[in-house]
Amino acid sequence: MPQALMSRGSTATPETERPTGQAMWRGTRGYCPACGEGRLFRGYLKVADHCPTCAEELHHQRADDGPAYLTILLVSHLGAPLLLASYIAWRPSAATMILSFGLGAIVLSLLLLPRIKGAMVGLQWARRMHGFGDAPEPATT
C-alpha cells in the first residue's frame, strides 16, 4: 500500500500503540504510565522529570487545571446528594453540617487530586499528547 494512503486514515500499528486504560490506571496508582514501576510523582503533585526505572521523560505533561476541575466536579457531585439526604434524615445543626461536610470535602479532594492528575498524565502519554509522541520520522523524497 502506498505510504500516502497509509498515513491518511490508518491508525498506529500494534507495536506502537499505547494502551490508554493501562496507562491511566498506572498513573492513578502513582506509577510511570510507560513501565508501571517507577514513581510518577516526586512530591504531592509534582510530576518527576523522568521515570527513575525506564527513563521515560515525563516533563512534557500539561495537566494544568484539569485535575482540579475534575476533583471539584466529583467531590461536589458526591457531596451534594449526601448533604441533602443527611439533612432530610437527621436534621443536624448548620454547624454540624458545615464541619462534617467541609472536612469530608477537604479530605476527599486531597485523596482524589493526585490520582486524577496521574490518570491525566497517563492519558497524555498514551495518546502521545504534548510531546509524549515519538520523534518525528525523517521525510523521504
Side-chain angles (χ1 to χ4, degrees), residues 3-84:
Q3 184 68 18
L5 291 176
M6 288 178 61
S7 64
R8 266 194 281 162
S10 66
T11 58
T13 59
E15 64 267 9
T16 61
E17 286 184 14
R18 294 177 176 175
T20 304
Q22 182 184 41
M24 290 180 72
W25 177 246
R26 287 174 175 173
T28 300
R29 292 185 5 236
Y31 293 109
C32 170
C35 68
E37 294 177 17
R39 299 297 303 168
L40 180 62
F41 298 107
R42 63 180 168 131
Y44 176 65
L45 288 177
K46 178 68 175 163
V47 177
D49 290 334
H50 64 278
C51 174
T53 305
C54 69
E56 175 73 30
E57 292 185 8
L58 301 170
H59 64 87
H60 303 295
Q61 66 85 21
R62 295 287 178 262
D64 299 330
D65 291 335
Y69 289 130
L70 288 176
T71 300
I72 291 168
L73 182 75
L74 286 173
V75 170
S76 62
H77 278 81
L78 291 172
L82 290 174
L83 184 79
L84 180 64

